[in-house]
């Protein structure tokens, strides 16, 4: 099973029914829309995990190996950027930290012929992904050992699990229908109801029903009562198996409902009831694991979570305690790696920053649940299989190669063009700068770099961001944008339509 991650907003552990996801789906989404809107400002202080002497210089905004991003360069990038990209501090930091720095680190690795394909480094960077790959089959196997009742005729009659099997006939009533038109539709339905019996119902549905179920004789399958609108669900709940309802009015129109008998419902009911049973068993297993782990959330956990979400790469080494699980400390670094493993991590991190503390703490609790499950699996000697590691390493290498190609820094091309490492580094840096110019101009999309690749890069090569210099960047970019906009407006053709009051 390839490394996977639940796509639920607040479910950071893998359920047994989740789809398989490989490394290529776990990118940090840097679509151009992230540059066209300013991120919500925050007064919280960021983790100082990237401290570097060179970044302390006021004129340097970011460092990536030997490359430095100056105030002037970043100010020009933003000032000359597409008009919809604001010259704000948030966007300046995004460009420096999430675009310029990782792009130049990738280019540096390419120039030095560094494939980054060290197994230990990759496994460490993708630790949360590997845990996800372990948790899926672990939960599935654990639930399979628990008793699950698929149900019987008695449980179906009693609607165990709130499950029903039914078919219906629907005549739609347009929202703009007059009382007279509505009455005519109801009269037609009364005629159909007079003919409806257990043996004729399916044929009447095929001939008369006005929704997609008509082709199946009105069959709606097996479903929870709450899936239907309330008038429909209430009418259905009053029926015994085999009975047919009177005419039921909902927002969609007029219905006649038949609750299927046991012979018709049996196969689908037992299948869905068993699935519900598995889900309940899984929830019970997780709850028991959580209770045994005695999870305790730190007092300042919500604020810490928002700091992590602001810059999880910087938080990846933070020892700040955020919770205890089975008496052991869970740190900000543990949480950061889980966030980075999410396929929609950029959206998730934005949600965490914008959500009230109560929601943030719910999400943190689910991460702690996940940690408890991981520790339980490890205690039971469940390990990641060789095929998972092989798939991870393969996807990692493919992602690096694809990123190099997109940035125009393929190692072979650099080797053919530069005799020395220094030559290749300079050429690679120029390629990245040209690519970034296009991104800010809105003519190409940013590169999506998978989180494990980012982590390996920042672990291996020196990098830093100096937030203190960003105010000067914004000042310079704003002045330049005004000049650029003025020049653009001056170049526009003058209107040929006379203005009011003008000859």
């Amino acid at each position: 099973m390839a490394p996977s991650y639940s796509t639920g907003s607040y479910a950071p552990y893998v359920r047994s029914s989740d789809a398989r996801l490989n490394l290529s789906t776990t990118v940090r989404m840097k679509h151009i829309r992230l540059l066209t809107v300013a991120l919500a400002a925050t007064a919280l202080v960021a983790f100082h995990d990237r401290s570097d002497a060179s970044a302390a210089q006021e004129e340097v905004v970011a460092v990536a190996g030997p490359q430095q991003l100056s105030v002037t360069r970043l100010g020009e990038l933003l000032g000359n950027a597409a008009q919809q990209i604001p010259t704000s501090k948030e966007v300046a930091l995004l460009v420096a930290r999430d675009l310029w720095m990782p792009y130049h680190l990738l280019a540096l690795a390419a120039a030095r012929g560094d494939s980054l394909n060290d197994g230990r480094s990759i496994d460490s960077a993708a630790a949360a992904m590997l845990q996800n790959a372990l948790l899926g089959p672990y939960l599935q196997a654990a639930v399979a050992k628990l008793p699950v009742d698929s149900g019987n005729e008695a449980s179906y009659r009693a609607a165990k699990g709130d499950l029903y099997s039914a078919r219906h006939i629907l005549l739609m009533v347009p929202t703009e229908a007059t009382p007279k038109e509505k009455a005519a539709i109801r009269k037609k339905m009364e005629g159909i109801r007079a003919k409806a019996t257990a043996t004729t119902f399916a044929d009447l549905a095929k001939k008369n029903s006005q929704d997609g179920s008509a082709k199946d004789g009105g069959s709606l399958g097996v479903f929870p009562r709450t899936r239907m609108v309330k008038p429909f669900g209430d009418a259905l709940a009053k029926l015994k198996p085999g009975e047919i309802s009177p005419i039921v009015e909902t927002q969609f129109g007029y219905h006649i409902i038949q609750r299927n008998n046991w012979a018709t419902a049996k196969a689908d009911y037992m299948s869905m009831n068993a699935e519900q049973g598995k889900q309940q068993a899984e929830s019970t297993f997780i709850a028991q694991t959580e209770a045994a782990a005695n999870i305790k959330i730190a007092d300042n956990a919500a604020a810490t979570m928002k700091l992590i979400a602001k810059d999880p790469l910087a938080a990846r080494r933070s020892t700040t305690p955020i919770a205890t699980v089975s008496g052991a400390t869970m740190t900000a670094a543990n949480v950061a790696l889980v966030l980075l493993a999410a396929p929609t991590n950029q959206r998730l991190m934005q949600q965490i920053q914008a959500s009230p503390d109560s929601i943030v703490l719910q999400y943190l609790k689910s991460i702690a649940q996940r940690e408890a499950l991981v520790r339980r699996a490890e205690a039971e000697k469940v390990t990641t299989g060789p095929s998972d590691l092989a798939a991870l390493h393969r996807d990692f290498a493919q992602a690096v190669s694809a990123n190099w190609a997109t940035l125009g820094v393929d190692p072979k091309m650099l080797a053919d063009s530069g005799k020395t490492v220094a030559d290749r580094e300079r050429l690679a840096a120029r390629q990245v700068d040209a690519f970034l110019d296009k991104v800010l101009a809105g003519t190409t999309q940013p590169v999506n770099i998978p989180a494990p690749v980012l982590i390996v890069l920042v672990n291996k090569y020196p990098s830093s961001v100096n937030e203190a210099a960003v105010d000067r960047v914004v000042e310079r970019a704003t002045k330049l944008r005004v000049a650029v906009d003025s020049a653009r407006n001056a170049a526009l053709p003058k209107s040929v339509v006379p203005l009011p009051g003008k000859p």
Side-chain angles (χ1 to χ4, degrees):
M1 182 175 182
S4 58
Y5 193 89
S6 169
T7 57
S9 295
Y10 294 102
Y13 49 81
V14 179
R15 290 192 177 275
S16 56
S17 60
D18 285 342
R20 294 171 58 172
L21 298 170
N22 61 30
L23 178 68
S24 63
T25 68
T26 62
V27 296
R28 300 184 76 206
M29 301 303 288
K30 301 301 180 190
H31 296 304
I32 196 69
R33 68 175 182 273
L34 297 179
L35 298 175
T36 61
V37 293
L39 300 178
T42 175
L44 298 174
V45 179
F47 289 103
H48 296 288
D49 186 55
R50 292 180 181 161
S51 58
D52 187 280
S54 60
Q57 302 174 29
E58 190 178 7
E59 68 273 10
V60 175
V61 183
V63 172
Q67 302 300 321
Q68 295 184 340
L69 177 62
S70 68
V71 167
T72 299
R73 166 64 174 154
L74 184 52
E76 290 175 349
L77 272 172
L78 286 180
N80 290 306
Q83 288 178 296
Q84 69 269 28
I85 298 177
T87 57
S88 67
K89 183 173 182 177
E90 291 74 26
V91 173
L93 280 172
L94 186 150
V95 173
R97 182 177 59 217
D98 297 337
L99 301 181
W100 182 90
M101 191 175 71
Y103 291 0
H104 275 283
L105 291 178
L106 268 172
L108 179 63
R112 295 183 179 180
D114 181 0
S115 68
L116 304 172
N117 202 15
D118 173 69
R120 285 189 177 182
S121 298
I122 296 170
D123 295 349
S124 176
M129 289 177 57
L130 291 171
Q131 289 170 349
N132 290 339
L134 176 150
L135 283 176
Y138 173 68
L139 277 174
Q140 188 174 25
V143 170
K145 297 176 184 177
L146 301 176
V148 175
D149 181 11
S150 60
N152 53 32
E153 184 173 2
S155 64
Y156 173 67
R157 293 182 66 86
K160 177 187 175 184
D162 194 38
L163 292 179
Y164 292 83
S165 175
R167 49 179 86 237
H168 80 146
I169 301 169
L170 168 65
L171 294 185
M172 295 184 178
V173 176
T175 55
E176 68 277 8
T178 65
K180 183 177 180 180
E181 290 170 334
K182 187 174 178 181
I185 296 171
R186 183 177 180 91
K187 184 170 178 138
K188 179 180 178 181
M189 182 60 98
E190 289 171 353
I192 296 171
R193 178 63 184 88
K195 301 175 185 176
T197 66
T199 55
T200 63
F201 197 97
D203 284 339
L204 287 170
K206 286 180 181 179
K207 294 174 183 177
N208 297 283
S209 194
Q210 295 176 341
D211 73 338
S213 70
K215 65 182 184 300
D216 298 318
S219 176
L220 299 171
V222 176
F223 52 89
R225 171 184 172 182
T226 51
R227 182 182 296 175
M228 300 301 179
V229 293
K230 191 174 187 303
F232 188 104
D234 290 348
L236 176 60
K238 295 176 182 177
L239 301 177
K240 295 177 182 178
E243 289 185 342
I244 299 172
S245 74
I247 296 172
V248 178
E249 183 178 356
T250 74
Q251 65 221 56
F252 303 105
Y254 295 113
H255 307 255
I256 304 171
I257 307 166
Q258 180 187 34
R259 185 178 176 193
N260 290 325
N261 58 30
W262 171 242
T264 302
K266 180 178 179 180
D268 288 342
Y269 171 79
M270 293 185 70
S271 175
M272 184 168 286
N273 197 58
E275 183 59 33
Q276 276 195 349
K278 290 177 183 177
Q279 292 176 3
Q280 182 59 47
E282 184 176 299
S283 296
T284 301
F285 180 82
I286 292 170
Q288 291 172 346
T289 302
E290 176 189 353
N294 191 26
I295 294 169
K296 296 185 183 300
I297 305 298
D299 291 339
N300 62 341
T304 303
M305 276 290 288
K306 292 186 177 184
L307 283 176
I308 298 168
K310 183 181 178 183
D311 190 356
L313 270 180
R316 77 194 186 282
R317 289 177 175 168
S318 172
T319 58
T320 301
I322 196 167
T324 57
V325 180
S326 301
T329 299
M330 187 172 77
T331 67
N334 300 134
V335 174
L337 291 177
V338 172
L339 293 182
L340 287 167
T344 56
N345 56 36
Q346 190 62 41
R347 183 182 67 183
L348 175 58
M349 288 181 281
Q350 289 174 350
Q351 288 175 340
I352 290 172
Q353 292 181 77
S355 295
D357 288 356
S358 58
I359 299 298
V360 173
L361 291 176
Q362 286 179 28
Y363 183 64
L364 174 58
K365 184 179 178 181
S366 65
I367 294 180
Q369 288 176 339
R370 174 193 179 281
E371 182 71 15
L373 287 167
V374 168
R375 294 183 185 183
R376 181 168 180 172
E378 290 173 345
E380 295 176 17
K381 308 300 181 185
V382 179
T383 59
T384 304
S387 61
D388 290 330
L389 292 175
L392 174 67
H393 297 171
R394 182 191 64 243
D395 288 350
F396 185 96
Q398 291 175 352
V400 171
S401 295
N403 288 159
W404 279 339
T406 304
L407 290 172
V409 293
D410 181 83
K412 186 176 184 307
M413 180 275 291
L414 296 176
D416 292 341
S417 303
K419 294 182 180 180
T420 67
V421 172
D423 290 338
R424 295 195 290 273
E425 287 180 7
R426 284 190 290 271
L427 175 58
R430 287 197 297 271
Q431 291 291 100
V432 166
D433 285 338
F435 181 85
L436 196 54
D437 285 337
K438 294 178 182 177
V439 171
L440 271 294
T443 59
T444 193
Q445 291 291 312
V447 171
N448 293 326
I449 304 174
V453 176
L454 282 169
I455 295 171
V456 169
L457 284 168
V458 297
N459 284 347
K460 189 164 190 177
Y461 295 110
S463 61
S464 59
V465 173
N466 178 26
E467 293 193 26
V470 174
D471 288 337
R472 291 183 57 214
V473 170
V474 174
E475 181 182 354
R476 181 179 292 270
T478 301
K479 290 179 179 178
L480 182 56
R481 178 67 63 84
V482 171
V484 170
D485 289 346
S486 297
R488 284 171 178 160
N489 292 336
L492 293 174
K494 294 183 179 180
S495 173
V496 296
V497 180
L499 296 174
K502 299 290 183 180

